[in-house]
Amino acid sequence: MKDEIKGILDKLQNGEISPEKALKLIKNIDIKNDFDKIKPARKIKILIIDGDDHKKIHLPGIPFGLVSFLGKLGIIIAPLAIKNNRNIDPKAREALKVIKEINLKEIFDVIKAHGSFDLVDVISENDVVKISIL
């Protein structure tokens, strides 16, 4: 698929085809076969290194089933835990209402469908934050 698109873009750049024709050709490329080859992701892995404080958090691959279960549990428990807490920030209360509406299964299904990739990969002089989908 990448070679087909590259060929179309080369023809466009050389003036052999119009932008409209290039768009039509790219739209007609069968990308379904490429997605069929992707192995669905099964885990999320987190690595955080705080170089200044010499602290490291390295969580092994956690299955999405467990992450989903814990997320649902948190969405259920959080409102109960703060229900009678008068000291909670009003914005936090509003955020919890929004979080309650989130469909974690839908989010995880989309993430898993894309196979393995780095969701977050930030490296600074002393610090590292990496969240990988495996």
Side-chain angles (χ1 to χ4, degrees):
M1 177 181 75
K2 288 182 183 179
D3 293 336
E4 290 178 76
I5 293 174
K6 185 179 180 329
I8 294 168
L9 293 176
D10 287 342
K11 287 181 182 179
L12 176 63
Q13 185 176 6
N14 295 334
E16 298 172 30
I17 59 174
S18 69
E20 292 80 14
K21 177 74 173 175
L23 183 60
K24 183 178 178 183
L25 291 171
I26 290 172
K27 282 183 178 180
N28 289 330
I29 293 174
D30 182 20
I31 60 171
K32 185 176 187 270
N33 291 335
D34 282 356
F35 285 116
D36 290 343
K37 296 175 189 174
I38 296 174
K39 183 179 174 184
R42 297 178 13 236
K43 300 177 182 181
I44 185 168
K45 184 176 180 179
I46 300 172
L47 170 66
I48 301 172
I49 300 172
D50 184 347
D52 296 331
D53 292 340
H54 305 292
K55 293 181 181 177
K56 182 177 180 178
I57 298 172
H58 186 246
L59 299 178
I62 303 168
F64 277 111
L66 179 59
V67 175
S68 180
F69 171 74
L70 294 174
K72 288 176 189 176
L73 190 63
I75 289 173
I76 292 168
I77 291 174
L80 298 174
I82 65 159
K83 186 176 181 179
N84 296 318
N85 186 343
R86 289 176 173 52
N87 296 329
I88 191 160
D89 180 32
K91 289 184 180 180
R93 282 189 194 275
E94 190 62 34
L96 283 172
K97 288 179 187 175
V98 172
I99 288 172
K100 194 173 182 181
E101 303 299 319
I102 293 175
N103 184 345
L104 290 177
K105 182 183 179 332
E106 186 177 332
I107 293 170
F108 288 140
D109 285 348
V110 170
I111 290 173
K112 289 189 286 188
H114 287 284
S116 298
F117 65 97
D118 288 333
L119 183 64
V120 176
D121 191 5
V122 179
I123 300 173
S124 68
E125 191 173 307
N126 298 320
D127 305 320
V128 175
V129 176
K130 187 168 188 170
I131 301 175
S132 301
I133 307 300
L134 306 172

